[in-house]
Short mmCIF file of all heavy atoms in Angstrom, two decimals:
data_model
loop_
_atom_site.label_atom_id
_atom_site.label_comp_id
_atom_site.label_asym_id
_atom_site.label_seq_id
_atom_site.Cartn_x
_atom_site.Cartn_y
_atom_site.Cartn_z
N MET A 1 13.48 -7.80 -5.72
CA MET A 1 12.30 -7.41 -4.97
C MET A 1 11.53 -6.30 -5.70
O MET A 1 10.36 -6.46 -6.00
CB MET A 1 12.75 -6.97 -3.57
CG MET A 1 11.67 -6.37 -2.73
SD MET A 1 10.59 -7.64 -2.07
CE MET A 1 9.49 -6.67 -1.11
N VAL A 2 12.20 -5.18 -5.97
CA VAL A 2 11.54 -4.07 -6.67
C VAL A 2 11.11 -4.52 -8.06
O VAL A 2 10.00 -4.24 -8.50
CB VAL A 2 12.45 -2.83 -6.73
CG1 VAL A 2 11.86 -1.76 -7.63
CG2 VAL A 2 12.69 -2.27 -5.34
N PHE A 3 11.99 -5.25 -8.75
CA PHE A 3 11.67 -5.70 -10.10
C PHE A 3 10.42 -6.58 -10.10
O PHE A 3 9.52 -6.39 -10.91
CB PHE A 3 12.86 -6.46 -10.72
CG PHE A 3 12.55 -7.04 -12.07
CD1 PHE A 3 12.52 -6.23 -13.20
CD2 PHE A 3 12.26 -8.39 -12.21
CE1 PHE A 3 12.20 -6.77 -14.45
CE2 PHE A 3 11.96 -8.93 -13.45
CZ PHE A 3 11.94 -8.12 -14.57
N ASP A 4 10.36 -7.53 -9.17
CA ASP A 4 9.21 -8.45 -9.11
C ASP A 4 7.91 -7.70 -8.85
O ASP A 4 6.88 -7.98 -9.46
CB ASP A 4 9.42 -9.51 -8.03
CG ASP A 4 10.58 -10.44 -8.36
OD1 ASP A 4 10.89 -10.62 -9.55
OD2 ASP A 4 11.17 -10.98 -7.42
N LYS A 5 7.94 -6.73 -7.94
CA LYS A 5 6.75 -5.94 -7.63
C LYS A 5 6.37 -5.09 -8.83
O LYS A 5 5.20 -4.94 -9.15
CB LYS A 5 6.99 -5.07 -6.39
CG LYS A 5 5.75 -4.40 -5.90
CD LYS A 5 4.73 -5.45 -5.47
CE LYS A 5 3.43 -4.84 -5.09
NZ LYS A 5 2.38 -5.83 -4.87
N LEU A 6 7.37 -4.55 -9.52
CA LEU A 6 7.12 -3.74 -10.71
C LEU A 6 6.46 -4.57 -11.81
O LEU A 6 5.53 -4.10 -12.47
CB LEU A 6 8.43 -3.12 -11.20
CG LEU A 6 8.32 -2.04 -12.26
CD1 LEU A 6 7.47 -0.87 -11.77
CD2 LEU A 6 9.70 -1.56 -12.66
N VAL A 7 6.89 -5.80 -11.97
CA VAL A 7 6.28 -6.69 -12.97
C VAL A 7 4.81 -6.94 -12.62
O VAL A 7 3.95 -6.94 -13.51
CB VAL A 7 7.06 -8.02 -13.09
CG1 VAL A 7 6.28 -9.03 -13.92
CG2 VAL A 7 8.43 -7.77 -13.72
N GLU A 8 4.50 -7.10 -11.33
CA GLU A 8 3.10 -7.25 -10.91
C GLU A 8 2.28 -6.02 -11.28
O GLU A 8 1.15 -6.14 -11.76
CB GLU A 8 3.01 -7.44 -9.39
CG GLU A 8 3.41 -8.79 -8.89
CD GLU A 8 3.29 -8.88 -7.38
OE1 GLU A 8 2.35 -8.29 -6.81
OE2 GLU A 8 4.15 -9.54 -6.76
N ILE A 9 2.85 -4.85 -11.06
CA ILE A 9 2.16 -3.60 -11.39
C ILE A 9 1.95 -3.51 -12.90
O ILE A 9 0.87 -3.15 -13.37
CB ILE A 9 2.93 -2.38 -10.85
CG1 ILE A 9 2.92 -2.40 -9.32
CG2 ILE A 9 2.35 -1.08 -11.38
CD1 ILE A 9 3.84 -1.40 -8.66
N PHE A 10 2.98 -3.84 -13.67
CA PHE A 10 2.84 -3.86 -15.13
C PHE A 10 1.70 -4.78 -15.55
O PHE A 10 0.92 -4.44 -16.43
CB PHE A 10 4.14 -4.32 -15.80
CG PHE A 10 5.13 -3.24 -16.06
CD1 PHE A 10 6.28 -3.15 -15.30
CD2 PHE A 10 4.94 -2.31 -17.07
CE1 PHE A 10 7.22 -2.16 -15.53
CE2 PHE A 10 5.87 -1.32 -17.31
CZ PHE A 10 7.02 -1.24 -16.55
N ALA A 11 1.63 -5.95 -14.94
CA ALA A 11 0.59 -6.92 -15.29
C ALA A 11 -0.80 -6.36 -15.04
O ALA A 11 -1.73 -6.64 -15.80
CB ALA A 11 0.79 -8.21 -14.51
N ASN A 12 -0.96 -5.55 -14.00
CA ASN A 12 -2.25 -4.93 -13.71
C ASN A 12 -2.57 -3.77 -14.65
O ASN A 12 -3.71 -3.59 -15.05
CB ASN A 12 -2.30 -4.44 -12.26
CG ASN A 12 -2.34 -5.58 -11.28
OD1 ASN A 12 -2.88 -6.64 -11.56
ND2 ASN A 12 -1.75 -5.38 -10.12
N VAL A 13 -1.56 -2.98 -14.98
CA VAL A 13 -1.77 -1.79 -15.81
C VAL A 13 -1.87 -2.14 -17.29
O VAL A 13 -2.69 -1.57 -18.01
CB VAL A 13 -0.63 -0.76 -15.57
CG1 VAL A 13 -0.74 0.42 -16.53
CG2 VAL A 13 -0.69 -0.26 -14.13
N ILE A 14 -1.04 -3.07 -17.74
CA ILE A 14 -1.04 -3.46 -19.16
C ILE A 14 -1.19 -4.98 -19.26
O ILE A 14 -0.23 -5.69 -19.58
CB ILE A 14 0.21 -2.96 -19.90
CG1 ILE A 14 1.49 -3.22 -19.10
CG2 ILE A 14 0.09 -1.51 -20.30
CD1 ILE A 14 2.77 -2.92 -19.85
N PRO A 15 -2.39 -5.49 -19.00
CA PRO A 15 -2.59 -6.95 -18.99
C PRO A 15 -2.35 -7.61 -20.35
O PRO A 15 -2.14 -8.82 -20.41
CB PRO A 15 -4.04 -7.11 -18.53
CG PRO A 15 -4.69 -5.80 -18.82
CD PRO A 15 -3.61 -4.76 -18.71
N GLU A 16 -2.36 -6.82 -21.42
CA GLU A 16 -2.13 -7.41 -22.75
C GLU A 16 -0.68 -7.81 -22.96
O GLU A 16 -0.37 -8.54 -23.90
CB GLU A 16 -2.59 -6.45 -23.86
CG GLU A 16 -1.87 -5.13 -23.92
CD GLU A 16 -2.45 -4.04 -23.01
OE1 GLU A 16 -3.31 -4.34 -22.16
OE2 GLU A 16 -2.04 -2.90 -23.16
N VAL A 17 0.21 -7.37 -22.10
CA VAL A 17 1.62 -7.75 -22.17
C VAL A 17 1.84 -8.95 -21.26
O VAL A 17 1.45 -8.93 -20.09
CB VAL A 17 2.54 -6.57 -21.76
CG1 VAL A 17 3.99 -7.02 -21.67
CG2 VAL A 17 2.41 -5.42 -22.73
N ASP A 18 2.46 -9.98 -21.79
CA ASP A 18 2.78 -11.18 -21.01
C ASP A 18 3.87 -10.82 -20.01
O ASP A 18 4.99 -10.49 -20.40
CB ASP A 18 3.23 -12.28 -21.96
CG ASP A 18 3.56 -13.58 -21.24
OD1 ASP A 18 3.50 -13.62 -20.00
OD2 ASP A 18 3.88 -14.56 -21.95
N SER A 19 3.55 -10.88 -18.73
CA SER A 19 4.51 -10.45 -17.71
C SER A 19 5.79 -11.30 -17.71
O SER A 19 6.83 -10.82 -17.28
CB SER A 19 3.87 -10.44 -16.32
OG SER A 19 3.42 -11.72 -15.97
N SER A 20 5.72 -12.52 -18.21
CA SER A 20 6.93 -13.35 -18.27
C SER A 20 7.91 -12.83 -19.32
O SER A 20 9.08 -13.20 -19.33
CB SER A 20 6.58 -14.81 -18.55
OG SER A 20 6.08 -14.95 -19.86
N GLU A 21 7.42 -11.97 -20.21
CA GLU A 21 8.27 -11.39 -21.25
C GLU A 21 8.96 -10.10 -20.79
O GLU A 21 9.80 -9.56 -21.51
CB GLU A 21 7.44 -11.09 -22.51
CG GLU A 21 6.83 -12.31 -23.16
CD GLU A 21 7.87 -13.23 -23.77
OE1 GLU A 21 8.79 -12.73 -24.45
OE2 GLU A 21 7.78 -14.45 -23.55
N ILE A 22 8.59 -9.59 -19.62
CA ILE A 22 9.16 -8.34 -19.13
C ILE A 22 10.52 -8.63 -18.52
O ILE A 22 10.65 -9.41 -17.59
CB ILE A 22 8.23 -7.67 -18.11
CG1 ILE A 22 6.89 -7.34 -18.76
CG2 ILE A 22 8.88 -6.41 -17.54
CD1 ILE A 22 5.84 -6.81 -17.80
N LYS A 23 11.53 -8.00 -19.08
CA LYS A 23 12.91 -8.15 -18.65
C LYS A 23 13.44 -6.78 -18.23
O LYS A 23 12.91 -5.76 -18.62
CB LYS A 23 13.78 -8.69 -19.80
CG LYS A 23 13.25 -9.94 -20.46
CD LYS A 23 13.39 -11.15 -19.55
CE LYS A 23 12.94 -12.41 -20.25
NZ LYS A 23 11.99 -13.19 -19.52
N PRO A 24 14.52 -6.75 -17.43
CA PRO A 24 15.08 -5.46 -17.05
C PRO A 24 15.44 -4.56 -18.24
O PRO A 24 15.30 -3.35 -18.18
CB PRO A 24 16.34 -5.83 -16.25
CG PRO A 24 16.01 -7.18 -15.69
CD PRO A 24 15.18 -7.86 -16.76
N GLU A 25 15.87 -5.18 -19.33
CA GLU A 25 16.27 -4.40 -20.50
C GLU A 25 15.11 -4.02 -21.43
O GLU A 25 15.31 -3.34 -22.43
CB GLU A 25 17.36 -5.14 -21.30
CG GLU A 25 16.92 -6.47 -21.88
CD GLU A 25 17.04 -7.67 -20.91
OE1 GLU A 25 17.33 -7.49 -19.73
OE2 GLU A 25 16.82 -8.79 -21.38
N SER A 26 13.89 -4.45 -21.10
CA SER A 26 12.72 -4.12 -21.93
C SER A 26 12.50 -2.61 -21.95
O SER A 26 12.51 -1.96 -20.90
CB SER A 26 11.46 -4.78 -21.38
OG SER A 26 11.57 -6.19 -21.38
N THR A 27 12.30 -2.07 -23.15
CA THR A 27 12.01 -0.64 -23.25
C THR A 27 10.52 -0.42 -22.99
O THR A 27 9.68 -1.24 -23.34
CB THR A 27 12.37 -0.08 -24.64
OG1 THR A 27 11.64 -0.79 -25.64
CG2 THR A 27 13.87 -0.20 -24.91
N LEU A 28 10.23 0.70 -22.35
CA LEU A 28 8.86 1.00 -21.97
C LEU A 28 7.96 1.24 -23.17
O LEU A 28 6.84 0.76 -23.21
CB LEU A 28 8.83 2.21 -21.02
CG LEU A 28 9.62 2.05 -19.73
CD1 LEU A 28 9.58 3.34 -18.93
CD2 LEU A 28 9.11 0.88 -18.91
N ASP A 29 8.48 1.98 -24.15
CA ASP A 29 7.62 2.31 -25.29
C ASP A 29 7.62 1.22 -26.37
O ASP A 29 6.58 0.72 -26.75
CB ASP A 29 7.98 3.67 -25.88
CG ASP A 29 9.45 3.79 -26.26
OD1 ASP A 29 10.24 2.86 -26.02
OD2 ASP A 29 9.81 4.86 -26.81
N GLU A 30 8.79 0.82 -26.84
CA GLU A 30 8.83 -0.14 -27.94
C GLU A 30 8.49 -1.57 -27.52
O GLU A 30 7.63 -2.21 -28.11
CB GLU A 30 10.19 -0.10 -28.62
CG GLU A 30 10.43 1.19 -29.38
CD GLU A 30 11.78 1.21 -30.06
OE1 GLU A 30 12.37 0.13 -30.26
OE2 GLU A 30 12.23 2.32 -30.40
N ASP A 31 9.15 -2.08 -26.49
CA ASP A 31 8.93 -3.48 -26.09
C ASP A 31 7.59 -3.68 -25.38
O ASP A 31 6.92 -4.67 -25.59
CB ASP A 31 10.05 -3.97 -25.18
CG ASP A 31 11.40 -4.06 -25.90
OD1 ASP A 31 11.41 -4.18 -27.14
OD2 ASP A 31 12.43 -4.02 -25.22
N LEU A 32 7.23 -2.73 -24.51
CA LEU A 32 6.01 -2.90 -23.72
C LEU A 32 4.83 -2.12 -24.27
O LEU A 32 3.70 -2.29 -23.82
CB LEU A 32 6.27 -2.50 -22.26
CG LEU A 32 7.40 -3.28 -21.58
CD1 LEU A 32 7.56 -2.82 -20.15
CD2 LEU A 32 7.14 -4.78 -21.63
N GLY A 33 5.07 -1.25 -25.23
CA GLY A 33 3.99 -0.53 -25.89
C GLY A 33 3.29 0.51 -25.04
O GLY A 33 2.12 0.81 -25.26
N LEU A 34 4.00 1.08 -24.06
CA LEU A 34 3.37 2.09 -23.22
C LEU A 34 3.22 3.40 -23.98
O LEU A 34 4.13 3.86 -24.64
CB LEU A 34 4.21 2.35 -21.96
CG LEU A 34 4.39 1.19 -20.99
CD1 LEU A 34 5.20 1.64 -19.79
CD2 LEU A 34 3.06 0.64 -20.54
N ASN A 35 2.03 3.97 -23.88
CA ASN A 35 1.80 5.30 -24.43
C ASN A 35 1.67 6.26 -23.26
O ASN A 35 1.83 5.87 -22.10
CB ASN A 35 0.56 5.31 -25.34
CG ASN A 35 -0.70 4.86 -24.62
OD1 ASN A 35 -0.86 5.08 -23.42
ND2 ASN A 35 -1.61 4.23 -25.34
N SER A 36 1.35 7.50 -23.52
CA SER A 36 1.32 8.48 -22.44
C SER A 36 0.27 8.14 -21.38
O SER A 36 0.49 8.35 -20.19
CB SER A 36 1.09 9.89 -22.99
OG SER A 36 -0.11 9.94 -23.73
N LEU A 37 -0.87 7.59 -21.79
CA LEU A 37 -1.91 7.23 -20.82
C LEU A 37 -1.47 6.06 -19.94
O LEU A 37 -1.60 6.13 -18.70
CB LEU A 37 -3.22 6.88 -21.53
CG LEU A 37 -4.37 6.41 -20.63
CD1 LEU A 37 -4.72 7.50 -19.61
CD2 LEU A 37 -5.58 6.04 -21.44
N THR A 38 -0.95 5.01 -20.53
CA THR A 38 -0.51 3.87 -19.73
C THR A 38 0.70 4.24 -18.87
O THR A 38 0.84 3.71 -17.76
CB THR A 38 -0.21 2.62 -20.59
OG1 THR A 38 0.68 2.97 -21.64
CG2 THR A 38 -1.47 2.02 -21.15
N MET A 39 1.54 5.15 -19.35
CA MET A 39 2.66 5.63 -18.53
C MET A 39 2.13 6.34 -17.29
O MET A 39 2.66 6.17 -16.20
CB MET A 39 3.55 6.58 -19.33
CG MET A 39 4.62 5.86 -20.10
SD MET A 39 5.78 5.02 -19.05
CE MET A 39 7.15 6.10 -19.14
N MET A 40 1.07 7.13 -17.47
CA MET A 40 0.48 7.86 -16.35
C MET A 40 -0.12 6.88 -15.34
O MET A 40 0.09 7.01 -14.14
CB MET A 40 -0.59 8.82 -16.85
CG MET A 40 -1.22 9.62 -15.75
SD MET A 40 -0.42 11.19 -15.53
CE MET A 40 -1.19 12.12 -16.81
N LEU A 41 -0.84 5.87 -15.83
CA LEU A 41 -1.43 4.87 -14.95
C LEU A 41 -0.34 4.08 -14.21
O LEU A 41 -0.47 3.81 -13.01
CB LEU A 41 -2.31 3.90 -15.74
CG LEU A 41 -3.58 4.48 -16.35
CD1 LEU A 41 -4.23 3.47 -17.29
CD2 LEU A 41 -4.54 4.89 -15.26
N LEU A 42 0.70 3.74 -14.91
CA LEU A 42 1.82 3.04 -14.30
C LEU A 42 2.47 3.89 -13.23
O LEU A 42 2.74 3.42 -12.13
CB LEU A 42 2.84 2.64 -15.37
CG LEU A 42 4.07 1.92 -14.87
CD1 LEU A 42 3.70 0.56 -14.31
CD2 LEU A 42 5.10 1.79 -15.97
N ALA A 43 2.71 5.17 -13.54
CA ALA A 43 3.35 6.07 -12.59
C ALA A 43 2.53 6.18 -11.31
O ALA A 43 3.07 6.11 -10.21
CB ALA A 43 3.57 7.44 -13.22
N VAL A 44 1.22 6.34 -11.45
CA VAL A 44 0.35 6.47 -10.27
C VAL A 44 0.39 5.19 -9.44
O VAL A 44 0.50 5.24 -8.21
CB VAL A 44 -1.10 6.81 -10.70
CG1 VAL A 44 -2.06 6.67 -9.54
CG2 VAL A 44 -1.16 8.22 -11.28
N SER A 45 0.34 4.05 -10.10
CA SER A 45 0.39 2.77 -9.39
C SER A 45 1.71 2.58 -8.66
O SER A 45 1.74 2.12 -7.51
CB SER A 45 0.17 1.61 -10.37
OG SER A 45 -1.11 1.67 -10.94
N VAL A 46 2.81 2.93 -9.31
CA VAL A 46 4.13 2.80 -8.70
C VAL A 46 4.27 3.77 -7.54
O VAL A 46 4.78 3.41 -6.47
CB VAL A 46 5.25 3.01 -9.75
CG1 VAL A 46 6.61 3.12 -9.08
CG2 VAL A 46 5.25 1.86 -10.76
N GLU A 47 3.81 5.00 -7.72
CA GLU A 47 3.87 5.99 -6.65
C GLU A 47 3.09 5.51 -5.42
O GLU A 47 3.58 5.63 -4.29
CB GLU A 47 3.32 7.33 -7.12
CG GLU A 47 4.24 8.05 -8.08
CD GLU A 47 3.65 9.33 -8.64
OE1 GLU A 47 2.42 9.57 -8.51
OE2 GLU A 47 4.42 10.12 -9.20
N ASP A 48 1.91 4.97 -5.65
CA ASP A 48 1.10 4.45 -4.53
C ASP A 48 1.77 3.27 -3.84
O ASP A 48 1.79 3.19 -2.62
CB ASP A 48 -0.30 4.02 -5.03
CG ASP A 48 -1.18 5.19 -5.39
OD1 ASP A 48 -0.84 6.35 -5.04
OD2 ASP A 48 -2.23 4.95 -6.03
N GLU A 49 2.31 2.36 -4.62
CA GLU A 49 2.92 1.16 -4.06
C GLU A 49 4.18 1.46 -3.25
O GLU A 49 4.41 0.90 -2.19
CB GLU A 49 3.25 0.17 -5.18
CG GLU A 49 3.92 -1.10 -4.72
CD GLU A 49 3.04 -1.97 -3.84
OE1 GLU A 49 1.81 -2.01 -4.05
OE2 GLU A 49 3.59 -2.61 -2.93
N PHE A 50 5.03 2.34 -3.79
CA PHE A 50 6.33 2.57 -3.17
C PHE A 50 6.41 3.88 -2.38
O PHE A 50 7.44 4.16 -1.77
CB PHE A 50 7.43 2.54 -4.24
CG PHE A 50 7.63 1.18 -4.84
CD1 PHE A 50 7.07 0.85 -6.06
CD2 PHE A 50 8.39 0.22 -4.18
CE1 PHE A 50 7.26 -0.41 -6.62
CE2 PHE A 50 8.58 -1.03 -4.73
CZ PHE A 50 8.01 -1.35 -5.94
N GLY A 51 5.34 4.68 -2.40
CA GLY A 51 5.34 5.92 -1.64
C GLY A 51 6.33 6.95 -2.15
O GLY A 51 6.98 7.65 -1.37
N ILE A 52 6.45 7.03 -3.48
CA ILE A 52 7.38 7.98 -4.09
C ILE A 52 6.62 8.88 -5.05
O ILE A 52 5.44 8.66 -5.33
CB ILE A 52 8.52 7.27 -4.85
CG1 ILE A 52 7.95 6.45 -6.02
CG2 ILE A 52 9.34 6.39 -3.91
CD1 ILE A 52 9.01 5.88 -6.95
N LYS A 53 7.29 9.90 -5.56
CA LYS A 53 6.76 10.76 -6.61
C LYS A 53 7.73 10.74 -7.77
O LYS A 53 8.95 10.81 -7.59
CB LYS A 53 6.59 12.20 -6.11
CG LYS A 53 5.47 12.37 -5.12
CD LYS A 53 4.15 12.25 -5.81
CE LYS A 53 3.01 12.45 -4.83
NZ LYS A 53 1.75 11.99 -5.35
N PHE A 54 7.19 10.64 -8.98
CA PHE A 54 8.05 10.68 -10.17
C PHE A 54 8.33 12.12 -10.55
O PHE A 54 7.43 12.91 -10.72
CB PHE A 54 7.38 9.97 -11.35
CG PHE A 54 7.59 8.49 -11.34
CD1 PHE A 54 6.58 7.65 -10.94
CD2 PHE A 54 8.80 7.94 -11.73
CE1 PHE A 54 6.76 6.27 -10.93
CE2 PHE A 54 9.00 6.57 -11.71
CZ PHE A 54 7.97 5.75 -11.31
N GLU A 55 9.61 12.42 -10.65
CA GLU A 55 10.08 13.69 -11.18
C GLU A 55 11.14 13.35 -12.20
O GLU A 55 11.92 12.43 -12.00
CB GLU A 55 10.64 14.56 -10.06
CG GLU A 55 9.59 14.92 -9.02
CD GLU A 55 10.18 15.62 -7.81
OE1 GLU A 55 11.35 16.05 -7.86
OE2 GLU A 55 9.46 15.74 -6.81
N ASN A 56 11.16 14.06 -13.31
CA ASN A 56 12.10 13.78 -14.39
C ASN A 56 11.93 12.38 -14.95
O ASN A 56 12.89 11.70 -15.28
CB ASN A 56 13.55 13.98 -13.93
CG ASN A 56 13.81 15.38 -13.45
OD1 ASN A 56 13.25 16.33 -13.97
ND2 ASN A 56 14.64 15.51 -12.44
N ALA A 57 10.70 11.93 -15.05
CA ALA A 57 10.41 10.58 -15.53
C ALA A 57 10.70 10.40 -17.02
O ALA A 57 10.78 9.28 -17.50
CB ALA A 57 8.96 10.21 -15.24
N GLU A 58 10.88 11.50 -17.74
CA GLU A 58 11.15 11.38 -19.18
C GLU A 58 12.49 10.71 -19.45
O GLU A 58 12.74 10.24 -20.55
CB GLU A 58 11.10 12.75 -19.86
CG GLU A 58 12.13 13.75 -19.38
CD GLU A 58 11.67 14.56 -18.16
OE1 GLU A 58 10.54 14.39 -17.71
OE2 GLU A 58 12.47 15.36 -17.68
N ASN A 59 13.36 10.61 -18.44
CA ASN A 59 14.64 9.93 -18.61
C ASN A 59 14.54 8.43 -18.43
O ASN A 59 15.52 7.72 -18.63
CB ASN A 59 15.66 10.50 -17.61
CG ASN A 59 15.95 11.96 -17.87
OD1 ASN A 59 15.92 12.42 -19.00
ND2 ASN A 59 16.24 12.69 -16.81
N LEU A 60 13.38 7.94 -18.04
CA LEU A 60 13.21 6.51 -17.81
C LEU A 60 12.80 5.84 -19.13
O LEU A 60 11.73 6.06 -19.64
CB LEU A 60 12.14 6.28 -16.74
CG LEU A 60 12.40 6.98 -15.40
CD1 LEU A 60 11.24 6.73 -14.45
CD2 LEU A 60 13.71 6.54 -14.79
N LYS A 61 13.70 5.02 -19.64
CA LYS A 61 13.47 4.38 -20.95
C LYS A 61 13.26 2.88 -20.86
O LYS A 61 12.61 2.30 -21.71
CB LYS A 61 14.65 4.66 -21.89
CG LYS A 61 14.99 6.12 -22.08
CD LYS A 61 13.89 6.83 -22.82
CE LYS A 61 14.28 8.29 -23.06
NZ LYS A 61 13.15 9.15 -23.26
N THR A 62 13.85 2.24 -19.84
CA THR A 62 13.75 0.79 -19.72
C THR A 62 13.19 0.42 -18.35
O THR A 62 13.12 1.25 -17.45
CB THR A 62 15.13 0.12 -19.87
OG1 THR A 62 15.96 0.50 -18.78
CG2 THR A 62 15.80 0.47 -21.20
N VAL A 63 12.83 -0.84 -18.21
CA VAL A 63 12.34 -1.33 -16.92
C VAL A 63 13.42 -1.17 -15.86
O VAL A 63 13.14 -0.76 -14.73
CB VAL A 63 11.88 -2.80 -17.05
CG1 VAL A 63 11.52 -3.38 -15.69
CG2 VAL A 63 10.69 -2.92 -18.01
N SER A 64 14.67 -1.43 -16.20
CA SER A 64 15.75 -1.29 -15.22
C SER A 64 15.93 0.17 -14.79
O SER A 64 16.30 0.43 -13.65
CB SER A 64 17.06 -1.89 -15.72
OG SER A 64 17.52 -1.22 -16.86
N ASP A 65 15.66 1.12 -15.70
CA ASP A 65 15.70 2.54 -15.33
C ASP A 65 14.66 2.82 -14.25
O ASP A 65 14.93 3.55 -13.29
CB ASP A 65 15.40 3.44 -16.53
CG ASP A 65 16.49 3.45 -17.58
OD1 ASP A 65 17.63 3.04 -17.28
OD2 ASP A 65 16.19 3.87 -18.72
N VAL A 66 13.47 2.25 -14.39
CA VAL A 66 12.40 2.46 -13.42
C VAL A 66 12.78 1.80 -12.08
O VAL A 66 12.60 2.40 -11.03
CB VAL A 66 11.05 1.91 -13.93
CG1 VAL A 66 9.96 2.08 -12.88
CG2 VAL A 66 10.65 2.60 -15.24
N VAL A 67 13.32 0.60 -12.14
CA VAL A 67 13.75 -0.09 -10.92
C VAL A 67 14.79 0.74 -10.18
O VAL A 67 14.70 0.97 -8.98
CB VAL A 67 14.31 -1.50 -11.24
CG1 VAL A 67 14.99 -2.12 -10.01
CG2 VAL A 67 13.20 -2.41 -11.74
N LYS A 68 15.79 1.23 -10.90
CA LYS A 68 16.85 2.03 -10.27
C LYS A 68 16.26 3.30 -9.68
O LYS A 68 16.63 3.71 -8.58
CB LYS A 68 17.94 2.37 -11.28
CG LYS A 68 19.05 3.21 -10.65
CD LYS A 68 20.27 3.27 -11.52
CE LYS A 68 21.39 4.13 -11.00
NZ LYS A 68 21.33 4.61 -9.66
N TYR A 69 15.34 3.96 -10.40
CA TYR A 69 14.71 5.18 -9.89
C TYR A 69 13.97 4.89 -8.58
O TYR A 69 14.11 5.62 -7.60
CB TYR A 69 13.74 5.74 -10.94
CG TYR A 69 13.13 7.05 -10.52
CD1 TYR A 69 13.79 8.25 -10.79
CD2 TYR A 69 11.93 7.11 -9.84
CE1 TYR A 69 13.25 9.46 -10.40
CE2 TYR A 69 11.38 8.31 -9.44
CZ TYR A 69 12.05 9.49 -9.73
OH TYR A 69 11.51 10.69 -9.33
N ILE A 70 13.21 3.80 -8.55
CA ILE A 70 12.47 3.44 -7.33
C ILE A 70 13.44 3.15 -6.20
O ILE A 70 13.26 3.63 -5.07
CB ILE A 70 11.57 2.22 -7.59
CG1 ILE A 70 10.45 2.57 -8.56
CG2 ILE A 70 10.98 1.68 -6.28
CD1 ILE A 70 9.69 1.37 -9.11
N GLU A 71 14.49 2.39 -6.48
CA GLU A 71 15.47 2.07 -5.43
C GLU A 71 16.13 3.33 -4.89
O GLU A 71 16.32 3.48 -3.69
CB GLU A 71 16.53 1.10 -5.98
CG GLU A 71 15.99 -0.28 -6.22
CD GLU A 71 16.96 -1.23 -6.90
OE1 GLU A 71 17.96 -0.76 -7.48
OE2 GLU A 71 16.69 -2.44 -6.87
N ASP A 72 16.46 4.26 -5.78
CA ASP A 72 17.09 5.52 -5.34
C ASP A 72 16.14 6.35 -4.50
O ASP A 72 16.56 7.00 -3.54
CB ASP A 72 17.56 6.34 -6.55
CG ASP A 72 18.76 5.72 -7.26
OD1 ASP A 72 19.39 4.80 -6.70
OD2 ASP A 72 19.04 6.14 -8.40
N GLN A 73 14.86 6.35 -4.84
CA GLN A 73 13.87 7.16 -4.13
C GLN A 73 13.46 6.56 -2.79
O GLN A 73 12.96 7.27 -1.93
CB GLN A 73 12.62 7.35 -4.99
CG GLN A 73 12.84 8.16 -6.24
CD GLN A 73 13.32 9.57 -5.95
OE1 GLN A 73 12.72 10.27 -5.15
NE2 GLN A 73 14.42 9.97 -6.56
N THR A 74 13.66 5.26 -2.62
CA THR A 74 13.20 4.60 -1.38
C THR A 74 14.34 4.34 -0.39
O THR A 74 14.12 3.68 0.61
CB THR A 74 12.47 3.28 -1.70
OG1 THR A 74 13.32 2.42 -2.46
CG2 THR A 74 11.18 3.53 -2.46
N LYS A 75 15.52 4.83 -0.68
CA LYS A 75 16.65 4.64 0.24
C LYS A 75 16.54 5.58 1.42
O LYS A 75 16.05 6.64 1.38
CB LYS A 75 17.97 4.87 -0.48
CG LYS A 75 18.30 3.72 -1.39
CD LYS A 75 19.65 3.89 -2.01
CE LYS A 75 19.94 2.68 -2.87
NZ LYS A 75 21.17 2.77 -3.57
#
């Protein structure tokens, strides 16, 4: 559920990335090509969608890290 919604958000924020290529193990910087600006846009979109705030986001390296963070914050 969280993963699928996150892929939708990725598709909106970084449309140049084929969403079918996004896997839980995909790295945010190398595989998806996120830079600081796209990370900021992604964070804002995720915060709005899930009603959370990102703190210590520098530890998030993969899509699964983001999914776990969202799941932990929404419990």
Side-chain angles (χ1 to χ4, degrees):
M1 172 77 178
V2 171
F3 175 77
D4 294 334
K5 189 62 185 171
L6 192 59
V7 169
E8 285 180 37
I9 294 170
F10 273 107
N12 290 329
V13 173
I14 46 172
E16 62 274 11
V17 173
D18 181 356
S19 61
S20 68
E21 297 292 315
I22 299 174
K23 308 288 183 232
E25 63 275 7
S26 299
T27 59
L28 301 177
D29 55 356
E30 291 180 19
D31 294 337
L32 302 181
L34 297 182
N35 58 32
S36 58
L37 177 60
T38 51
M39 273 296 256
M40 181 93 82
L41 293 171
L42 179 66
V44 169
S45 297
V46 170
E47 287 175 346
D48 288 347
E49 178 65 34
F50 292 99
I52 63 171
K53 289 288 181 196
F54 276 103
E55 298 172 12
N56 301 325
E58 63 272 358
N59 296 328
L60 305 177
K61 305 293 183 203
T62 66
V63 173
S64 63
D65 291 342
V66 178
V67 170
K68 180 166 177 11
Y69 184 87
I70 293 167
E71 290 174 343
D72 289 347
Q73 295 299 309
T74 56
K75 286 185 178 176

